[in-house]
């Protein structure tokens, strides 16, 4: 799920028109239309007479995403235990330089698997 789609889910806790969502998200007509189509197709929102509204399934999706923040590092995670996230934080907090490379999210299973790579140059130094 893209950040724009997640924002739409948050905004549709109360019914919102296309125009309201466009204004609140800053998306183009085409970008918003595409995001709404995807969310509706997956059952995360529904279109009502009052506007777009999040579904129970959509609420579950945004509630599943968890966040851990400590020492200037924020990790947003799902499908992994908090203990594992704390292990990742411990590794990252001990590094001076690290780079995060994020892939664009999509419905393709391989993209989900490769959605995040953390590169720590010191691990690749041949000293």
């Amino acid at each position: 799920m893209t950040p724009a789609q997640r924002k739409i889910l948050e905004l549709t806790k109360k019914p919102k028109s296309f125009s309201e969502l466009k204004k609140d998200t800053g998306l183009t007509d085409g970008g918003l239309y595409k995001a709404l189509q995807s969310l509706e197709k997956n059952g995360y929102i529904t279109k009502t007479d009052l506007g777009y509204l999040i579904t129970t399934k959509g609420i579950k999706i945004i509630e599943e995403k968890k966040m851990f923040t400590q020492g200037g590092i924020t990790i947003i995670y799902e499908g992994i235990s908090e203990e594992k996230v704390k292990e990742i934080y411990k590794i990252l907090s001990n590094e001076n330089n690290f780079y995060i490379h994020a892939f664009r999210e999509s419905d393709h299973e391989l993209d989900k698997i490769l959605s995040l790579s953390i590169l720590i140059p010191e691990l690749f130094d041949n000293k």
Side-chain angles (χ1 to χ4, degrees):
M1 178 170 302
T2 67
Q5 289 173 325
R6 185 161 296 283
K7 184 172 186 174
I8 291 168
L9 289 180
E10 291 287 344
L11 291 169
T12 56
K13 289 179 180 176
K14 294 181 181 177
K16 292 276 189 168
S17 70
F18 186 93
S19 298
E20 289 172 314
L21 289 171
K22 183 179 176 190
K23 180 182 170 216
D24 292 344
T25 62
L27 293 172
T28 63
D29 285 352
L32 179 57
Y33 178 78
K34 184 177 176 183
L36 291 171
Q37 290 292 102
S38 176
L39 291 169
E40 197 168 13
K41 176 184 169 193
N42 288 306
Y44 301 140
I45 62 170
T46 186
K47 188 175 182 181
T48 70
D49 292 339
L50 299 173
Y52 293 92
L53 185 63
I54 193 168
T55 63
T56 303
K57 184 177 178 182
I59 290 170
K60 285 182 183 178
I61 287 294
I62 60 174
E63 288 177 352
E64 285 176 3
K65 189 76 86 166
K66 297 176 185 170
M67 186 181 304
F68 174 84
T69 301
Q70 192 171 328
I73 297 173
T74 298
I75 302 172
I76 299 172
Y77 64 98
E78 63 185 305
I80 185 171
S81 70
E82 186 171 339
E83 291 77 30
K84 290 286 184 190
V85 170
K86 286 180 180 179
E87 287 178 37
I88 293 167
Y89 166 76
K90 186 176 178 182
I91 292 167
L92 292 178
S93 66
N94 290 327
E95 295 299 324
N96 292 331
N97 280 330
F98 64 89
Y99 306 94
I100 297 177
H101 183 104
F103 291 83
R104 183 177 183 171
E105 292 187 28
S106 76
D107 293 333
H108 191 271
E109 196 61 34
L110 185 58
D111 287 342
K112 290 179 184 175
I113 294 169
L114 298 175
S115 64
L116 181 67
S117 300
I118 300 171
L119 306 175
I120 303 173
E122 289 78 9
L123 294 179
F124 301 104
D125 286 346
N126 294 325
K127 293 182 180 180

